[in-house]
Each structure stands twice: as C-alpha cells, then as structure tokens.
Short mmCIF file of all heavy atoms in Angstrom, two decimals:
data_model
loop_
_atom_site.label_atom_id
_atom_site.label_comp_id
_atom_site.label_asym_id
_atom_site.label_seq_id
_atom_site.Cartn_x
_atom_site.Cartn_y
_atom_site.Cartn_z
N SER O 188 0.80 -1.23 0.00
CA SER O 188 0.00 0.00 0.00
C SER O 188 0.83 1.27 0.00
O SER O 188 0.34 2.33 0.39
CB SER O 188 -1.00 0.02 1.16
OG SER O 188 -1.95 -1.00 1.01
N LEU O 189 2.07 1.16 -0.44
CA LEU O 189 2.85 2.37 -0.67
C LEU O 189 2.36 2.99 -1.98
O LEU O 189 2.12 2.30 -2.95
CB LEU O 189 4.33 2.03 -0.77
CG LEU O 189 4.97 1.54 0.53
CD1 LEU O 189 6.42 1.18 0.31
CD2 LEU O 189 4.85 2.59 1.63
N THR O 190 2.23 4.30 -1.98
CA THR O 190 1.63 4.97 -3.14
C THR O 190 2.57 6.00 -3.76
O THR O 190 3.50 6.48 -3.12
CB THR O 190 0.33 5.68 -2.73
OG1 THR O 190 0.62 6.65 -1.71
CG2 THR O 190 -0.69 4.69 -2.21
N ASN O 191 2.27 6.33 -5.01
CA ASN O 191 3.00 7.36 -5.73
C ASN O 191 2.02 8.05 -6.66
O ASN O 191 1.14 7.39 -7.24
CB ASN O 191 4.15 6.73 -6.53
CG ASN O 191 5.04 7.77 -7.15
OD1 ASN O 191 5.32 8.81 -6.54
ND2 ASN O 191 5.49 7.53 -8.37
N TYR O 192 2.16 9.36 -6.80
CA TYR O 192 1.23 10.13 -7.61
C TYR O 192 1.97 11.03 -8.60
O TYR O 192 3.07 11.52 -8.31
CB TYR O 192 0.36 11.04 -6.72
CG TYR O 192 -0.55 10.30 -5.78
CD1 TYR O 192 -0.15 9.97 -4.50
CD2 TYR O 192 -1.85 9.96 -6.18
CE1 TYR O 192 -1.00 9.30 -3.64
CE2 TYR O 192 -2.70 9.30 -5.32
CZ TYR O 192 -2.27 8.97 -4.05
OH TYR O 192 -3.13 8.32 -3.20
N ALA O 193 1.33 11.26 -9.72
CA ALA O 193 1.82 12.29 -10.63
C ALA O 193 1.67 13.65 -9.96
O ALA O 193 0.72 13.87 -9.20
CB ALA O 193 1.04 12.27 -11.93
N ASP O 194 2.60 14.54 -10.21
CA ASP O 194 2.54 15.86 -9.58
C ASP O 194 1.22 16.58 -9.89
O ASP O 194 0.71 17.31 -9.05
CB ASP O 194 3.71 16.72 -10.07
CG ASP O 194 5.04 16.27 -9.50
OD1 ASP O 194 5.04 15.53 -8.49
OD2 ASP O 194 6.09 16.65 -10.05
N SER O 195 0.70 16.34 -11.06
CA SER O 195 -0.51 17.05 -11.48
C SER O 195 -1.76 16.67 -10.70
O SER O 195 -2.76 17.39 -10.74
CB SER O 195 -0.75 16.82 -12.97
OG SER O 195 -0.91 15.43 -13.24
N VAL O 196 -1.71 15.54 -9.98
CA VAL O 196 -2.90 15.09 -9.25
C VAL O 196 -2.68 15.03 -7.74
O VAL O 196 -3.63 14.73 -7.00
CB VAL O 196 -3.38 13.71 -9.76
CG1 VAL O 196 -3.59 13.75 -11.26
CG2 VAL O 196 -2.43 12.60 -9.36
N LYS O 197 -1.48 15.30 -7.29
CA LYS O 197 -1.20 15.24 -5.84
C LYS O 197 -2.11 16.21 -5.09
O LYS O 197 -2.31 17.34 -5.49
CB LYS O 197 0.26 15.59 -5.58
CG LYS O 197 1.23 14.48 -5.88
CD LYS O 197 2.67 14.89 -5.57
CE LYS O 197 3.63 13.77 -5.89
NZ LYS O 197 5.04 14.16 -5.67
N GLY O 198 -2.67 15.70 -4.00
CA GLY O 198 -3.57 16.51 -3.19
C GLY O 198 -5.01 16.49 -3.67
O GLY O 198 -5.91 16.96 -2.96
N ARG O 199 -5.25 15.95 -4.86
CA ARG O 199 -6.62 15.89 -5.39
C ARG O 199 -7.11 14.44 -5.57
O ARG O 199 -8.29 14.17 -5.38
CB ARG O 199 -6.69 16.60 -6.75
CG ARG O 199 -6.31 18.07 -6.70
CD ARG O 199 -6.59 18.76 -8.03
NE ARG O 199 -5.82 18.20 -9.13
CZ ARG O 199 -6.34 17.69 -10.23
NH1 ARG O 199 -7.66 17.65 -10.39
NH2 ARG O 199 -5.56 17.21 -11.20
N PHE O 200 -6.21 13.56 -5.94
CA PHE O 200 -6.57 12.17 -6.19
C PHE O 200 -6.02 11.29 -5.07
O PHE O 200 -4.94 11.55 -4.53
CB PHE O 200 -5.98 11.67 -7.50
CG PHE O 200 -6.59 12.28 -8.74
CD1 PHE O 200 -7.46 13.36 -8.69
CD2 PHE O 200 -6.28 11.74 -9.98
CE1 PHE O 200 -8.01 13.90 -9.83
CE2 PHE O 200 -6.82 12.28 -11.14
CZ PHE O 200 -7.68 13.37 -11.07
N THR O 201 -6.76 10.22 -4.75
CA THR O 201 -6.31 9.25 -3.76
C THR O 201 -6.51 7.85 -4.30
O THR O 201 -7.62 7.48 -4.70
CB THR O 201 -7.09 9.41 -2.45
OG1 THR O 201 -6.94 10.74 -1.95
CG2 THR O 201 -6.57 8.41 -1.41
N ILE O 202 -5.44 7.08 -4.30
CA ILE O 202 -5.50 5.69 -4.74
C ILE O 202 -5.58 4.79 -3.52
O ILE O 202 -4.96 5.08 -2.49
CB ILE O 202 -4.28 5.33 -5.62
CG1 ILE O 202 -4.46 3.97 -6.29
CG2 ILE O 202 -2.98 5.38 -4.83
CD1 ILE O 202 -3.40 3.67 -7.34
N SER O 203 -6.36 3.72 -3.63
CA SER O 203 -6.48 2.77 -2.53
C SER O 203 -6.71 1.39 -3.10
O SER O 203 -7.02 1.23 -4.30
CB SER O 203 -7.61 3.17 -1.57
OG SER O 203 -8.85 3.18 -2.24
N ARG O 204 -6.59 0.41 -2.23
CA ARG O 204 -6.64 -0.98 -2.69
C ARG O 204 -7.30 -1.83 -1.64
O ARG O 204 -6.98 -1.72 -0.45
CB ARG O 204 -5.21 -1.43 -2.97
CG ARG O 204 -5.00 -2.83 -3.45
CD ARG O 204 -3.51 -2.99 -3.83
NE ARG O 204 -3.20 -4.37 -4.16
CZ ARG O 204 -2.01 -4.78 -4.60
NH1 ARG O 204 -1.04 -3.91 -4.75
NH2 ARG O 204 -1.79 -6.04 -4.86
N ASP O 205 -8.23 -2.69 -2.05
CA ASP O 205 -8.86 -3.66 -1.17
C ASP O 205 -8.40 -5.03 -1.61
O ASP O 205 -8.94 -5.60 -2.58
CB ASP O 205 -10.39 -3.52 -1.26
CG ASP O 205 -11.11 -4.41 -0.26
OD1 ASP O 205 -10.54 -5.45 0.15
OD2 ASP O 205 -12.24 -4.09 0.10
N ASN O 206 -7.40 -5.57 -0.95
CA ASN O 206 -6.82 -6.85 -1.37
C ASN O 206 -7.83 -7.99 -1.26
O ASN O 206 -7.78 -8.93 -2.05
CB ASN O 206 -5.58 -7.16 -0.54
CG ASN O 206 -4.42 -6.25 -0.88
OD1 ASN O 206 -4.31 -5.76 -2.00
ND2 ASN O 206 -3.57 -5.98 0.09
N ALA O 207 -8.71 -7.93 -0.29
CA ALA O 207 -9.71 -8.99 -0.12
C ALA O 207 -10.66 -9.05 -1.31
O ALA O 207 -11.15 -10.13 -1.67
CB ALA O 207 -10.49 -8.77 1.16
N LYS O 208 -10.90 -7.91 -1.93
CA LYS O 208 -11.81 -7.85 -3.07
C LYS O 208 -11.07 -7.76 -4.39
O LYS O 208 -11.69 -7.69 -5.45
CB LYS O 208 -12.75 -6.65 -2.94
CG LYS O 208 -13.68 -6.70 -1.76
CD LYS O 208 -14.60 -5.49 -1.74
CE LYS O 208 -15.58 -5.54 -0.58
NZ LYS O 208 -16.47 -4.35 -0.54
N ASN O 209 -9.74 -7.75 -4.32
CA ASN O 209 -8.92 -7.62 -5.54
C ASN O 209 -9.38 -6.42 -6.37
O ASN O 209 -9.49 -6.49 -7.60
CB ASN O 209 -9.00 -8.90 -6.38
CG ASN O 209 -8.50 -10.10 -5.61
OD1 ASN O 209 -7.41 -10.07 -5.04
ND2 ASN O 209 -9.30 -11.13 -5.54
N THR O 210 -9.61 -5.35 -5.68
CA THR O 210 -10.12 -4.14 -6.31
C THR O 210 -9.28 -2.94 -5.91
O THR O 210 -8.82 -2.85 -4.77
CB THR O 210 -11.59 -3.91 -5.92
OG1 THR O 210 -12.36 -5.05 -6.31
CG2 THR O 210 -12.15 -2.68 -6.61
N MET O 211 -9.10 -2.06 -6.85
CA MET O 211 -8.37 -0.83 -6.62
C MET O 211 -9.29 0.34 -6.95
O MET O 211 -10.17 0.22 -7.82
CB MET O 211 -7.14 -0.77 -7.53
CG MET O 211 -6.35 0.51 -7.44
SD MET O 211 -4.90 0.49 -8.51
CE MET O 211 -5.64 0.41 -10.13
N TYR O 212 -9.09 1.45 -6.25
CA TYR O 212 -9.94 2.61 -6.44
C TYR O 212 -9.10 3.86 -6.71
O TYR O 212 -7.95 3.94 -6.31
CB TYR O 212 -10.80 2.85 -5.19
CG TYR O 212 -11.60 1.66 -4.77
CD1 TYR O 212 -11.13 0.80 -3.79
CD2 TYR O 212 -12.84 1.38 -5.35
CE1 TYR O 212 -11.85 -0.31 -3.40
CE2 TYR O 212 -13.57 0.27 -4.97
CZ TYR O 212 -13.07 -0.57 -4.00
OH TYR O 212 -13.80 -1.67 -3.62
N LEU O 213 -9.73 4.81 -7.37
CA LEU O 213 -9.12 6.12 -7.53
C LEU O 213 -10.19 7.16 -7.23
O LEU O 213 -11.13 7.33 -8.01
CB LEU O 213 -8.57 6.32 -8.94
CG LEU O 213 -7.81 7.63 -9.16
CD1 LEU O 213 -6.49 7.62 -8.36
CD2 LEU O 213 -7.52 7.87 -10.63
N GLN O 214 -10.05 7.80 -6.08
CA GLN O 214 -10.95 8.88 -5.71
C GLN O 214 -10.40 10.17 -6.30
O GLN O 214 -9.28 10.56 -5.98
CB GLN O 214 -11.08 9.00 -4.20
CG GLN O 214 -11.98 10.14 -3.74
CD GLN O 214 -13.43 9.96 -4.13
OE1 GLN O 214 -13.96 8.86 -4.00
NE2 GLN O 214 -14.06 11.02 -4.61
N MET O 215 -11.17 10.81 -7.15
CA MET O 215 -10.73 12.02 -7.84
C MET O 215 -11.59 13.20 -7.39
O MET O 215 -12.80 13.21 -7.62
CB MET O 215 -10.83 11.83 -9.35
CG MET O 215 -10.08 10.62 -9.86
SD MET O 215 -10.05 10.50 -11.66
CE MET O 215 -11.79 10.24 -12.00
N ASN O 216 -10.97 14.15 -6.74
CA ASN O 216 -11.66 15.35 -6.28
C ASN O 216 -11.10 16.58 -6.98
O ASN O 216 -10.03 16.54 -7.58
CB ASN O 216 -11.48 15.51 -4.76
CG ASN O 216 -12.06 14.35 -3.98
OD1 ASN O 216 -13.07 13.76 -4.37
ND2 ASN O 216 -11.45 14.02 -2.86
N SER O 217 -11.86 17.67 -6.90
CA SER O 217 -11.43 18.94 -7.50
C SER O 217 -11.01 18.74 -8.95
O SER O 217 -9.94 19.22 -9.37
CB SER O 217 -10.29 19.56 -6.68
OG SER O 217 -10.67 19.76 -5.34
N LEU O 218 -11.83 18.06 -9.69
CA LEU O 218 -11.47 17.73 -11.07
C LEU O 218 -11.39 18.97 -11.94
O LEU O 218 -12.14 19.94 -11.76
CB LEU O 218 -12.49 16.75 -11.65
CG LEU O 218 -12.29 15.30 -11.17
CD1 LEU O 218 -13.55 14.48 -11.37
CD2 LEU O 218 -11.11 14.67 -11.88
N LYS O 219 -10.45 18.91 -12.89
CA LYS O 219 -10.19 20.01 -13.80
C LYS O 219 -10.41 19.53 -15.24
O LYS O 219 -10.29 18.33 -15.52
CB LYS O 219 -8.75 20.48 -13.66
CG LYS O 219 -8.36 20.88 -12.25
CD LYS O 219 -6.87 21.22 -12.19
CE LYS O 219 -6.44 21.60 -10.79
NZ LYS O 219 -4.99 21.93 -10.71
N PRO O 220 -10.68 20.45 -16.15
CA PRO O 220 -10.84 20.04 -17.55
C PRO O 220 -9.64 19.26 -18.08
O PRO O 220 -9.81 18.33 -18.90
CB PRO O 220 -11.01 21.37 -18.28
CG PRO O 220 -11.64 22.26 -17.27
CD PRO O 220 -11.01 21.87 -15.97
N GLU O 221 -8.45 19.58 -17.61
CA GLU O 221 -7.26 18.88 -18.08
C GLU O 221 -7.16 17.46 -17.55
O GLU O 221 -6.25 16.72 -17.94
CB GLU O 221 -5.99 19.66 -17.73
CG GLU O 221 -5.87 20.09 -16.28
CD GLU O 221 -6.35 21.51 -16.05
OE1 GLU O 221 -7.41 21.90 -16.63
OE2 GLU O 221 -5.68 22.24 -15.29
N ASP O 222 -8.06 17.06 -16.66
CA ASP O 222 -8.11 15.66 -16.21
C ASP O 222 -8.89 14.79 -17.19
O ASP O 222 -8.94 13.57 -17.03
CB ASP O 222 -8.76 15.57 -14.83
CG ASP O 222 -7.94 16.23 -13.75
OD1 ASP O 222 -6.71 16.05 -13.74
OD2 ASP O 222 -8.53 16.92 -12.89
N THR O 223 -9.50 15.41 -18.18
CA THR O 223 -10.26 14.65 -19.18
C THR O 223 -9.36 13.69 -19.93
O THR O 223 -8.32 14.09 -20.48
CB THR O 223 -10.93 15.62 -20.17
OG1 THR O 223 -11.90 16.42 -19.48
CG2 THR O 223 -11.62 14.85 -21.30
N ALA O 224 -9.73 12.42 -19.92
CA ALA O 224 -8.92 11.38 -20.55
C ALA O 224 -9.62 10.04 -20.41
O ALA O 224 -10.62 9.92 -19.69
CB ALA O 224 -7.54 11.31 -19.89
N VAL O 225 -9.08 9.06 -21.09
CA VAL O 225 -9.46 7.68 -20.83
C VAL O 225 -8.53 7.17 -19.74
O VAL O 225 -7.30 7.28 -19.87
CB VAL O 225 -9.36 6.79 -22.08
CG1 VAL O 225 -9.71 5.35 -21.74
CG2 VAL O 225 -10.26 7.32 -23.18
N TYR O 226 -9.10 6.64 -18.68
CA TYR O 226 -8.33 6.15 -17.54
C TYR O 226 -8.24 4.63 -17.61
O TYR O 226 -9.27 3.94 -17.75
CB TYR O 226 -8.98 6.59 -16.24
CG TYR O 226 -8.72 8.05 -15.93
CD1 TYR O 226 -9.30 9.05 -16.69
CD2 TYR O 226 -7.87 8.43 -14.89
CE1 TYR O 226 -9.04 10.39 -16.43
CE2 TYR O 226 -7.61 9.77 -14.62
CZ TYR O 226 -8.20 10.74 -15.41
OH TYR O 226 -7.93 12.06 -15.15
N TYR O 227 -7.02 4.14 -17.50
CA TYR O 227 -6.75 2.71 -17.60
C TYR O 227 -6.18 2.19 -16.28
O TYR O 227 -5.38 2.87 -15.61
CB TYR O 227 -5.73 2.43 -18.69
CG TYR O 227 -6.18 2.79 -20.08
CD1 TYR O 227 -5.91 4.06 -20.61
CD2 TYR O 227 -6.86 1.88 -20.88
CE1 TYR O 227 -6.31 4.39 -21.88
CE2 TYR O 227 -7.25 2.20 -22.16
CZ TYR O 227 -6.99 3.46 -22.65
OH TYR O 227 -7.37 3.79 -23.93
N CYS O 228 -6.55 0.96 -15.98
CA CYS O 228 -6.00 0.26 -14.83
C CYS O 228 -4.96 -0.74 -15.32
O CYS O 228 -5.17 -1.44 -16.32
CB CYS O 228 -7.13 -0.46 -14.10
SG CYS O 228 -6.60 -1.60 -12.81
N LYS O 229 -3.84 -0.80 -14.62
CA LYS O 229 -2.81 -1.79 -14.92
C LYS O 229 -2.52 -2.63 -13.69
O LYS O 229 -2.33 -2.11 -12.60
CB LYS O 229 -1.52 -1.11 -15.38
CG LYS O 229 -0.46 -2.10 -15.84
CD LYS O 229 0.81 -1.43 -16.29
CE LYS O 229 1.73 -1.11 -15.15
NZ LYS O 229 3.07 -0.67 -15.62
N VAL O 230 -2.49 -3.93 -13.91
CA VAL O 230 -2.13 -4.89 -12.86
C VAL O 230 -0.75 -5.45 -13.21
O VAL O 230 -0.53 -5.95 -14.32
CB VAL O 230 -3.16 -6.03 -12.77
CG1 VAL O 230 -2.68 -7.11 -11.81
CG2 VAL O 230 -4.51 -5.48 -12.34
N GLN O 231 0.15 -5.33 -12.26
CA GLN O 231 1.53 -5.75 -12.49
C GLN O 231 1.80 -7.05 -11.74
O GLN O 231 1.68 -7.11 -10.52
CB GLN O 231 2.48 -4.66 -12.03
CG GLN O 231 3.94 -4.93 -12.29
CD GLN O 231 4.81 -3.79 -11.77
OE1 GLN O 231 4.62 -3.29 -10.68
NE2 GLN O 231 5.75 -3.36 -12.58
#
C-alpha cells in the first residue's frame, strides 16, 4: 500500500486498494478540464 502520484494530481486524487476484493480505487476530487482522458487500470 505504498503509493506514488503524478505531480498534477497530488492533493486531489487518492489511490487505494482492497486486497480482499482484488479491487483498486481512484478517488478524484477537484477535477479540472485537463483531467479529461481515458483512464486505464494496470495490474503488475
């Protein structure tokens, strides 16, 4: 559960993970027009 963020989203986005449910989340607050994009999940 160590995290890393792009500078452009620090303080606005929060990533979290529920290992029991094998699910990851991205809470996005204070959204800006420049956040518009297709968001992809990657499992490593």
Side-chain angles (χ1 to χ4, degrees):
S188 295
L189 293 177
T190 60
N191 187 38
Y192 295 91
D194 288 342
S195 60
V196 306
K197 283 181 180 177
R199 300 188 298 122
F200 290 10
T201 302
I202 191 171
S203 61
R204 180 173 173 176
D205 186 334
N206 289 331
K208 296 182 178 180
N209 301 309
T210 302
M211 176 179 65
Y212 306 96
L213 185 68
Q214 178 65 44
M215 305 186 294
N216 299 327
S217 302
L218 283 161
K219 305 175 181 180
E221 50 264 43
D222 294 318
T223 295
V225 178
Y226 283 70
Y227 296 91
C228 170
K229 186 180 84 170
V230 173
Q231 184 181 44

